[in-house]
Each structure stands twice: as C-alpha cells, then as structure tokens.
Amino acid sequence: MSSYRIHGATGDWEVVIGLEVHAQITSNAKLFSGASTAFGAEPNTQVSLVDAAMPGMLPVLNAECVRQAVRTGMAIEAQINKYSRFDRKNYFYADLPQGYQISQLYHPIVGEGSLTIDADDKAGIPEDKIIGIERIHIEQDAGKLMHDQHPTMSYVDLNRVGVALMEIVSRPDMTSPAEAGAYVRKLRAILRYVGSCDGNMEEGSMRADVNVSVRKVGDPELGTRTETKNVNSVRFVMQTIEFEAQRQVDLIEDGGTVVQETRLFDPGTGTTRTMRSKEDAHDYRYFPDPDLLPLELGEDFLAECRASLPELPDAKRARYESELGLTPYNARELTAEVETFARYETLLAETARRAGKSEAEVATQVANWALSVAPGVFKSLGDDADPAYATAQAQAAILELQAAGAISGGQAKEIYEIVLKTGREPGEIAETEGLKQQSDTGAIELAVDEVIAANPDKVEQYRGGKDKLFGFFVGQTMKAMQGKANPAVVNDLLKAKLG
Amino acid sequence: MTDLTQLGIKPLRDGVAAGEFTAREVAEAFNAAVADASALNAFIVTTPDHALDAASKVDADRAAGKALGPMAGVPIGMKDLFCTQGVQTTAASHILEGFVPRYESTVSQKLWDAGAGMLGKLNLDQFAMGSSNETSHFGNVSSPWRRTGTNAPMSPGGSSGGSSAAVAARIAPAATGTDTGGSIRQPAAFTGICGIKPTYGRCSRWGVVAFASSLDQAGPMARSVEDCAIMLGAMAGFDPKDATSLKMDVPDWAAGLDGNLAGKTIGIPREYRMEGTDAAILDSWERGKQWLRDAGATIVDISLPHTKYALPAYYIIAPAEASSNLARYDGVRYGLRDLPDGAGLQDMYAETREAGFGDEVKRRILIGTYVLSAGFYDAYYTQAQKVRALVARDFEQAFAQCDLILAPTTPTASFPLGENSEDPLAMYLNDVFAVPASLAGLPAMSVPAMQNEGGLPLGLQLVGRPFDEQGVLNAGLAIEQRAGFSAQPDKWWC
C-alpha cells in the first residue's frame, strides 16, 4: 500500500487512480482504410475516401491492427476474446467526419489482465504491485482542429482520422502519482517490447485519460471521480493527479462536493480545469456497427500471435538475475527500455564471443559498463561524441583489453573517449597513445623495491600493524609506474614484500 | 424498323451482338424516349452522353471482334443512390445537391464493365426513405399507370420509384434499384415490372449512399425475369471493399432459368392474410398458387408467426442505423453548408441539416436517435434485434417445410400521389409483406401477376432461402409464363 497521503485540515486523505491509456497501434495503414499513418505529413494528405466519410464509403478492418491488439493482450496475460464486435459511438464534431467513432463498447477484443509495477523505495513504492487491467479495445482516432490558421475560422486536418488506437483501461488500483507514473512507464515498455505501439508520447502515440478520486484514509467507499483527458507525458500524469487530489480535498473540506466531470490539464500551470460537466455529457447512442461483421479469432491466428511474442520485461529481468547473475538493480535498469536491453544484449554477446567465455561470466562486467561507464563517457563528451562510433565491436574490444589486464578501468574510459571522438580502433589507441598498463612483474618489482627502500619508516609502521598504510605503498608504486601498472600485480608484489 | 424501346435487356443485347441494330441506335432511341418523358419526373439528371459513349465502345468492340459483356449495348437507368464518378449524386436530397463523386460505386462499375451505359440518375424517395416517391427534394415521380378513367397521378412506389416508372414507361429497358424494406419489390409491383432483391451481401454496398446498412441491398428492376437474372449476374459478386459482401461465386442465373417446378414445395404463409388486404390482391395470390401448381410445384400452408412484429422492428432498426449513417451530412466537407453570419459549429450543423433534409428523413433521424438513446436502447433497439432474430428463425423453420414462399408483394395496388403522404403509418404499411424478408436478408422478388379492376398492376412476391436466387427466379419465371402479363400504360406523358 502506498503511503501517499493528502494532509487535509480534517485529516489524511488517500487517492484512487485509474488510467485509460490510448496507444496508437503500430501499423502502416489505418484501422479501417488503406491510408498511411505516418506522423508529420502535410495536413489532409493522408486521407482516404473512407476517412473523409464520403457518401457510400465503408470500413474494412485492418487485420494487422487486430494482431497487434491481441499480442498486447497476451503480453499482459489477459483474456483474449475470440468473439468481439465493433460499435459506433455517435457524436457530432468537425474532427469526426463519420459523425461516429468506431469503437468496441459491448464486446472488447481483450478482457481482464494485469501488469506489475516494480518496487521503488525512492518513489514510495515499497514492493512490487499488481495493477489490474480491465480491458483493451480497438477504436479509431479522430482528426485535429486547427484554430490558429485564420482569424474567424477553424481548419480541420483529417490525417489522424481513422488511425488505430488501443484503449487500455486499468482498474482503479493506483494510489499515488508515483504508482501511476510507474504504471505508464511499465505499460509503455511492454507495448514497445511487443512492438504494438512506439510509445512516443510527444507525437501523441500514447496519451492517458486520468481518473482521480479521493477518500478519507480507511473509507471503503470511493469518492466521486473526475476524468482529465489526453494527458501526454508521465510527468503530466503525475502532476494531474497531484493537482486533482489536492483540489478535490480542498473542495470537500471547504464544504463543496466533487462533480463528476471531464477536465483538461494545462501543462503550462500544472493545473486542470473543467472541460464539460456531466450535464453536458454526450449521449453517445452506442450500437453495433452494421457495416462490420463480428470479429471472430481462430486458434491458428491466436497461436501465431503468441508465437510472435518476444521475451517480456518481467521475464527478461528475472532471467538476467537468475541466469546472468546480475543484481536486481542492474536487471531492472537494463530491462526498462527496449533500446537499453537491445544494446546490452548485443554487447554481451560480442564481449563473450571475443573473450571465449559464457555470457554469464562477462554479464556483470558488461552490465556495469553499459549502465554507468559508457553512458558517463558519452555524456561527458557532449556533442563531441559521435553515436555512430559507439559500436558493440569497439566497446567489446575495450572490455576484452580490460578483462585481460592490458588496460585499467581509467584507461578503458580514456580509450572509449577517443573511440567516440574519432572512431579509431581500441587496440590501436591503446598502443599508440600508451594507454596500457604494465603487468610485467620485473618492472613492477623494481618499482616496489624502490618504494620500500625509500620509505623505511613507513615500512616499519606498516609491519607494526598500521594496515592502512598499504594504500600509501600502492599509490607510490603506481606513481612510479606513471599509473600504468596492473593494480592486481602491484598488490600481490607489495603484500609479498612487506610481509 | 422495330421500336427499340419496346425491347428488354436480352433482345437488345442479342440484337446488338447479332448486328440487327447498333448499340448507338439503342442508346439514341432511349435517350429520345427519356427526353420525351420529363412529365414522369423519373430522372434527376439525364446523361445521354454516357449512354452514347458506352454504346460506341460496344459497337467498336463488336466491329473489332472482341467478346461483348452480358449487358453490352443496354443503356440503363441508375438510381441516384449509387455514386457515379463525375455525375451528380444526390440521394434525392437537397443536402447532397451538387455533389459530384470522384468515385464509382462497385455495382455501377460492374454494370459499365458488362457493357451497359447510363441514361441518367433516377429519382427516388429521399435517402431511399419512402414508399411512394413523394419525399424527393426533386419532386414526385409519377407512375406511368393511371387508374382507368382517371387522370390522377399515381404513385410509382418507392423508394425506387424513378426506376420503376422508367422501366414501366419503356424509357429504360432496365434500372438499378435498392431495397432496404421493399424498395425494389413494392415499386416493381406497383408498375407491372420485375424486381429482385438478392440475398444480403450479394451486391456490394460500396459507393451506395447508405440508408440502413444491415438491410440495404441493390438489385435489378426490369421487364422480365430473365432480364433480372442477366442484370443481377452483372451486379453481384464479392467486393473486398464491403465487409458484409458475400465471398461466394456468382452462379449463371440466366443460364440456370427453368420454369419447371416439379419437386418444389411452395409455402403459403397464413399470417400474410391480413386485414385490409385488397380482394384483388387475395385473388392474385390464389392465381399465383394455381400457376405454381401448374408448373409442377406442391403448395403447402406454412406459418411465419412473428410476421406482425416485423414492421415495428424494421421501423426501429432502419431508423437507428439511418440516424447514424446520415450524421456525415454535416456541412463540413461536401454538400450543402448553411453557415449564417457569426454562427458556430453547432449552428452550422443545425442550419445545414434543417435545410438539407426533408421531413421524412428528419422523422426517421429523430426516431433512430430516440431508440438509441440512453434509457431507451434496450426497450427499443435490443428488443427489435430480438424480433429480427425471431423473424429470421420463422423463415428458417418454414424452409424446413418448403423451398420457396409465395405471398403478395403489397397489400394494395398503387394509390394516387398525396393519398398517404399525410399519414406515415399508412405509408409504412405498404411494406408490411416486404419487410420480413429484408430483416432476414433473404432473396425476394416481385413479378407482375395481373391488373385490378382499375387496370393497375399487382405483383406477387417470392422469397427464397439464403443464396437461392435461382429458386426465386425460377418460380418467378413460372409465374411470368402463366400470368401472361403484357399490359402497358397508356403513353400520356409525351
């Protein structure tokens, strides 16, 4: 249970949150027409006769969109409904050419499922938590009104009309902004793993309707909820909840009541305002779309969908811990994003191949490199780094040199810097730039002997029990070797000679 | 030379193919007949050049020895519910007045591909809503028929009233119709011609202005059963652009025509013997039974117990779908836009739709909106869907006992224009015998049987099992062969 509370004048309040996430289905063509779905085209250039709702035009279902919705449902271990149906949601608006949106009210394609948000102490999520997902249904997107093109008229862009969306409806299982944020991030990761949505919130590929209500801690009754529409980033979702929860508590404590209504989020101020109240709510007059037959899914189709599913975040994370021996932290960080694990797995395979070792043997080294060393170097270079040079081959070559003791950790960073700036080969850089450490026992032994000879008093103190001085001898030896001695060899020799 | 306008599809096509006359001569003859018949108001626009161009192509193809299509050299009328590329398509409404599609409906394209040409766009009840052709924005269509001894203009039926009038008046050898709840069969019966509504899904709905999607079906209206078979063959076929299109081969119905009904059982539904049905209609039904018996069929009584609920259910389902289908006529993208100074979006919708739709269309949009509204949906729409399922089950059970059903097409003969226009319920009753087959999606045909005492034509209806257009056509042929209906209206219009 989240400990998120609104401290009101009359006591503590808790928040109940449900999210309806609209995710644009990755497909080349729209849900019921052959028009393209590419983002950013000139207005009204991706509009078919069907999208423009010309007289006599009919929708024909795009099977790829169905496939993606089913795969998504499978990824959240939801019930897949072999029988589903499309309904018309009727209302008039200039961005809705048909005068209705084709959606699925009565028989959605995906039923009950869930996802797990991960424990995150810093965010106030003490343990993993399962968030119920009530349903996923498929529906059409609407177009876009443009009010800034003409002093007295509004323009309509129909490019988005008919683009396929999944509406993913959660249970009201979240109790803090952090949980809601974690839910959206996890859902986004799953969609991107599955490849059913690119999750690009800036381009509107994913947006959330945020349902918020408050109640006194321990009250079993749910409060009246508001729905804030089309919130398009994780941060805004969290801000919406923070603002709405506080607003509702203030309202109730001032003697008012929360009105069930639709609200809008203003990213500029971080506040929400009324869009329309329940009294103005549309009567959508849903009924089954007579232009479309019920959608019936066969076993073969379902089997194909299941077989095409990749390893999903939770499974991957568990495997990273159990098979690769990574820490829970590393496993979580590496599996949070598709790009992160993809880069990691490529580098892991390449490093193991070069070293002639199993992946498990090099997994931790590669994980540390991929999560902290490499991004650190990259970030420090800023615009000087060319991402094209950040190849798995180059990085694996560096890791191989380091594992073999030929270079130190510091040298690895320096070499990677040069790689990112120039694209030169790591082995060549190590040679040419003198970025190699000395593992030759003879040279190091000579340096060790000199350090011991030059510091008889310290030797005496060390031998008298002042263990901390060992670091001093290591430092002196490394200094004498201009930092290029293999620290392990230095340690061994010093220990042997100091006794 | 023969009067070419006296010929139907088959003799025209065969005559062109045999070189007895050219397709261009045929087109010219019908173009002239159309031009002379403006008093009927059957056409909203005429397209003589379309007919001539198609004819010239047929003549050139024939000269070049190319194979000719099944409709080659036959100019037809096109109900103005089919979108035709480059030719105004209005659904007889003001809201679509001036709308010129840049696409061709699947059915009309198939007809052009089969060698047909277009005489013009035929008048109809607005958005196919009506049973008398009195709801068109472009004026009533007059039936070519008149009651003996009177000059009162009569209804050609509806909604395909322009189609029925044109074919009956011999100004078109055939025409397309659409049938949602009788709109092919009832006008065919009123005007002494044949018309068939095929199984739902046989003809693509793509490019046909929608009225009630789950019921709308296109079909031919022509002078003979054989002509209907030929033309239906050219119109039907799977269309990937219509999700409700049947993925089935189209049989060669014309080749399969056979009026011998030996071994066939014909069901006579007792519930169709309704109060208010004309004596002459009942007489025609009796004759029909005898003709089918004479053709070798066995006649049995059957029951379709939910018949009386069909019409009320239809008048919930069809308006419900229509209220949604017609939402796209909003003044935003095409057609009429009525935007008073300073008006906002809602005002534009209201003004445009107020000015653009006729009273009957508004009535049905209101009914449809009402029955789908929160709190009424289950009581009306859900209930009506249940009735629809029961009506369909009635037919299924009946077809366990018989192969085809014979019934009157309409409860009365044609009536004078204006007689029923103030009483929507009386008007709706016109389709009481036609609607059940529509709800069940079954193939159904009207063929002329006889004239009543006023000289007006009466039709008989045949309803078949799903996909059994052949059975329906064969029984229609058997009636046609025995009824010997050859009456034509007096040519008062030119």
Side-chain angles (χ1 to χ4, degrees):
Chain A
M1 193 66 198
S2 156
S3 56
Y4 186 80
R5 296 286 182 268
I6 305 285
H7 305 294
T10 61
D12 279 3
W13 299 74
E14 60 187 18
V15 191
V16 178
I17 304 150
L19 295 175
E20 293 164 30
V21 172
H22 298 261
Q24 181 180 333
I25 297 176
T26 302
S27 68
N28 296 325
K30 295 180 179 180
L31 182 53
F32 296 110
S33 85
S36 165
T37 57
F39 177 79
E42 285 292 302
N44 296 311
T45 56
Q46 302 187 341
V47 186
S48 74
L49 295 168
V50 176
D51 304 327
M54 301 303 284
M57 291 300 101
L58 298 172
V60 176
L61 182 59
N62 178 348
E64 175 62 13
C65 299
V66 174
R67 189 175 156 270
Q68 293 290 33
V70 168
R71 294 173 73 246
T72 305
M74 288 172 168
I76 56 161
E77 284 162 34
Q79 178 196 328
I80 307 300
N81 294 323
K82 288 182 193 165
Y83 174 97
S84 65
R85 220 175 53 185
F86 291 96
D87 302 300
R88 291 186 184 176
K89 177 182 181 178
N90 294 284
Y91 64 96
F92 284 92
Y93 205 53
D95 65 3
L96 189 73
Q98 293 171 139
Y100 54 85
Q101 176 196 35
I102 305 178
S103 181
Q104 295 186 304
L105 176 70
Y106 296 108
H107 298 277
I109 189 165
V110 175
E112 202 77 36
S114 68
L115 63 72
T116 303
I117 55 173
D118 305 323
D120 185 348
D121 276 329
K122 269 189 285 180
I125 306 172
E127 54 198 16
D128 288 1
K129 180 172 178 179
I130 294 171
I131 308 295
I133 292 175
E134 184 185 320
R135 58 189 276 161
I136 301 177
H137 64 256
I138 316 176
E139 63 185 22
Q140 297 177 301
D141 204 351
K144 193 173 77 179
L145 290 192
M146 297 179 285
H147 302 291
D148 55 357
Q149 310 281 309
H150 186 278
T152 59
M153 290 195 276
S154 293
Y155 283 54
V156 191
D157 177 6
L158 300 181
N159 280 354
R160 285 194 69 86
V161 166
V163 164
L165 304 176
M166 286 178 279
E167 181 168 330
I168 304 160
V169 183
S170 85
R171 293 274 172 206
D173 287 351
M174 288 158 278
T175 54
S176 73
E179 286 183 5
Y183 170 82
V184 174
R185 277 193 298 266
K186 186 61 172 281
L187 181 60
R188 183 171 174 274
I190 291 172
L191 295 174
R192 301 189 72 230
Y193 267 59
V194 168
S196 59
C197 171
D198 67 20
N200 193 327
M201 298 187 89
E202 296 75 50
E203 289 180 2
S205 299
M206 223 179 124
R207 48 193 198 261
D209 297 344
V210 184
N211 291 288
V212 176
S213 66
V214 295
R215 62 181 169 191
K216 276 284 177 65
V217 172
D219 188 340
E221 296 291 311
L222 287 172
T224 304
R225 70 186 163 86
T226 62
E227 179 180 21
T228 305
K229 288 271 187 196
N230 286 331
V231 185
N232 67 349
S233 83
V234 173
R235 190 162 59 88
F236 294 160
V237 166
M238 295 170 67
Q239 280 181 13
T240 295
I241 296 163
E242 283 161 22
F243 179 82
E244 260 308 288
Q246 188 66 54
R247 186 188 70 85
Q248 292 180 13
V249 167
D250 292 348
L251 189 63
I252 297 167
E253 293 196 329
D254 287 349
T257 47
V258 176
V259 186
Q260 186 178 336
E261 62 180 358
T262 304
R263 299 180 69 84
L264 274 178
F265 178 73
D266 180 350
T269 59
T271 60
T272 69
R273 62 187 151 82
T274 300
M275 188 171 141
R276 55 172 183 261
S277 69
K278 196 184 176 187
E279 287 72 44
D280 316 323
H282 297 294
D283 180 349
Y284 290 120
R285 309 187 313 279
Y286 279 99
F287 76 110
D289 192 325
D291 284 332
L292 294 160
L293 299 176
L295 178 58
E296 291 179 46
L297 305 178
E299 290 299 342
D300 289 353
F301 177 79
L302 295 177
E304 185 272 320
C305 288
R306 198 170 289 286
S308 73
L309 281 183
E311 185 181 38
L312 294 164
D314 290 347
K316 192 179 282 293
R317 185 179 156 195
R319 181 173 65 81
Y320 279 11
E321 290 183 35
S322 64
E323 287 182 18
L324 299 181
L326 298 186
T327 62
Y329 174 84
N330 278 356
R332 190 180 79 192
E333 292 297 310
L334 285 170
T335 55
E337 288 287 343
V338 173
E339 287 80 5
T340 315
F341 88 70
R343 273 198 301 269
Y344 175 69
E345 290 186 359
T346 308
L347 182 56
L348 181 63
E350 181 68 13
T351 307
R353 188 186 64 75
R354 278 176 173 264
K357 292 181 180 168
S358 73
E359 290 191 353
E361 288 174 281
V362 296
T364 297
Q365 182 202 10
V366 176
N368 291 337
W369 171 268
L371 279 177
S372 70
V373 182
V377 173
F378 202 93
K379 207 171 163 191
S380 71
L381 288 180
D383 288 344
D384 292 339
D386 185 340
Y389 295 140
T391 63
Q393 286 80 358
Q395 295 178 74
I398 295 170
L399 289 170
E400 187 190 9
L401 290 170
Q402 193 185 349
I407 60 173
S408 65
Q411 288 168 329
K413 281 190 198 173
E414 286 182 63
I415 292 170
Y416 192 45
E417 270 184 32
I418 297 170
V419 166
L420 287 176
K421 284 196 253 186
T422 65
R424 285 163 57 192
E425 206 270 311
E428 174 271 320
I429 296 170
E431 291 294 341
T432 321
E433 308 296 333
L435 287 168
K436 289 187 89 168
Q437 68 183 1
Q438 187 59 263
S439 297
D440 173 5
T441 321
I444 298 173
E445 194 169 2
L446 212 62
V448 167
D449 287 345
E450 277 170 21
V451 169
I452 288 174
N455 297 286
D457 49 335
K458 296 256 172 24
V459 172
E460 201 168 322
Q461 287 172 28
Y462 176 78
R463 286 182 176 144
K466 206 167 177 188
D467 291 351
K468 273 192 271 179
L469 278 171
F470 190 72
F472 165 81
F473 293 109
V474 173
Q476 290 298 306
T477 311
M478 291 303 275
K479 194 176 166 191
M481 294 294 294
Q482 283 120 40
K484 288 174 188 167
N486 183 332
V489 177
V490 172
N491 281 1
D492 288 350
L493 285 171
L494 274 171
K495 273 190 184 141
K497 294 199 181 261
L498 289 168
Chain B
M1 183 171 171
T2 45
D3 178 2
L4 293 173
T5 62
Q6 283 297 313
L7 304 181
I9 292 173
K10 182 157 195 297
L12 288 171
R13 176 192 76 182
D14 293 350
V16 167
E20 291 165 26
F21 39 79
T22 64
R24 202 169 169 90
E25 284 166 349
V26 174
E28 281 166 352
F30 279 102
N31 279 342
V34 167
D36 282 348
S38 57
L40 295 174
N41 199 30
F43 285 89
I44 294 173
V45 291
T46 57
T47 55
D49 290 342
H50 191 291
L52 291 173
D53 290 348
S56 297
K57 180 163 185 311
V58 168
D59 289 335
D61 283 353
R62 184 179 173 276
K66 289 187 195 164
L68 299 180
M71 295 287 292
V74 182
I76 59 165
M78 184 62 62
K79 187 177 183 180
D80 199 25
L81 204 61
F82 293 84
C83 292
T84 43
Q85 187 169 11
V87 179
Q88 176 186 265
T89 300
T90 65
S93 71
H94 181 41
I95 209 161
L96 277 176
E97 195 169 1
F99 171 66
V100 179
R102 41 186 199 93
Y103 48 93
E104 188 77 38
S105 81
T106 298
V107 162
S108 55
Q109 186 61 53
K110 287 172 88 79
L111 286 164
W112 313 148
D113 292 347
M118 179 165 66
L119 296 165
K121 301 297 291 290
L122 290 161
N123 207 342
L124 64 148
D125 277 303
Q126 195 170 136
F127 284 100
M129 298 175 188
S131 305
S132 62
N133 226 297
E134 292 171 283
T135 71
S136 167
H137 174 68
F138 301 97
N140 301 340
V141 176
S142 271
S143 172
W145 294 90
R146 294 199 163 160
R147 201 175 271 159
T148 313
T150 73
N151 281 327
M154 303 294 288
S155 168
S159 66
S160 308
S163 304
S164 63
V167 175
R170 268 61 183 170
I171 62 173
T176 55
T178 62
D179 190 317
T180 303
S183 283
I184 287 175
R185 291 162 284 160
Q186 183 255 17
F190 273 19
T191 57
I193 64 168
C194 298
I196 180 167
K197 175 195 94 73
T199 310
Y200 181 78
R202 274 286 189 203
C203 291
S204 169
R205 294 185 296 111
W206 193 88
V208 186
V209 174
F211 163 16
S213 311
S214 73
L215 296 154
D216 295 345
Q217 256 304 286
M221 299 172 75
R223 293 179 199 164
S224 71
V225 172
E226 187 174 24
D227 282 0
C228 281
I230 293 169
M231 186 163 160
L232 181 59
M235 296 167 74
F238 174 68
D239 181 2
K241 291 187 286 189
D242 175 358
T244 60
S245 176
L246 282 171
K247 211 165 190 173
M248 289 176 85
D249 287 338
V250 176
D252 188 342
W253 290 303
L257 277 180
D258 181 358
N260 179 0
L261 302 185
K264 294 286 177 191
T265 305
I266 311 291
I268 307 297
R270 71 175 66 101
E271 291 79 7
Y272 280 46
R273 196 169 288 275
M274 284 181 185
E275 220 177 300
T277 304
D278 278 2
I281 297 278
L282 295 174
D283 179 31
S284 74
W285 199 3
E286 288 307 315
R287 293 195 204 188
K289 284 188 221 175
Q290 191 55 47
W291 291 327
L292 294 177
R293 213 176 270 130
D294 293 347
T298 308
I299 309 294
V300 297
D301 279 338
I302 57 158
S303 174
L304 298 169
H306 297 92
T307 298
K308 68 174 167 182
Y309 304 112
L311 197 67
Y314 172 85
Y315 274 99
I316 290 169
I317 293 166
E321 294 183 15
S323 71
S324 177
N325 281 337
L326 270 59
R328 65 187 55 198
Y329 308 110
D330 58 6
V332 174
R333 298 167 313 287
Y334 51 79
L336 181 71
R337 171 185 290 179
D338 201 335
L339 180 64
D341 266 355
L345 187 62
Q346 296 297 329
D347 305 311
M348 184 178 89
Y349 289 151
E351 297 290 330
T352 300
R353 291 165 68 82
E354 163 62 25
F357 290 138
D359 288 346
E360 183 61 26
V361 174
K362 285 177 195 159
R363 176 166 20 246
R364 299 205 195 185
I365 290 174
L366 288 172
I367 293 171
T369 303
Y370 179 82
V371 300
L372 290 177
S373 297
F376 299 104
Y377 179 83
D378 283 336
Y380 290 102
Y381 186 80
T382 306
Q383 202 67 9
Q385 289 292 10
K386 287 180 190 163
V387 169
R388 184 177 188 172
L390 290 173
V391 168
R393 203 180 64 184
D394 281 357
F395 280 108
E396 257 178 61
Q397 289 171 348
F399 285 127
Q401 296 166 260
C402 64
D403 300 301
L404 292 155
I405 292 167
L406 176 72
T409 309
T410 58
T412 68
S414 170
F415 44 83
L417 290 172
E419 190 173 277
N420 287 328
S421 52
E422 296 307 313
D423 183 354
L425 290 181
M427 188 69 85
Y428 295 170
L429 273 175
N430 258 286
D431 292 317
V432 68
F433 297 145
V435 152
S438 294
L439 289 176
L442 301 171
M445 174 169 210
S446 180
V447 286
M450 55 180 269
Q451 289 167 279
N452 70 3
E453 68 285 358
L456 296 172
L458 303 175
L460 282 171
Q461 181 180 208
L462 293 150
V463 181
R465 295 191 180 102
F467 323 124
D468 189 22
E469 285 80 5
Q470 190 72 66
V472 169
L473 289 161
N474 285 351
L477 181 66
I479 289 177
E480 183 179 68
Q481 286 166 342
R482 286 163 184 81
F485 188 96
S486 58
Q488 287 190 33
D490 292 335
K491 228 174 173 184
W492 54 262
W493 55 88
C494 62

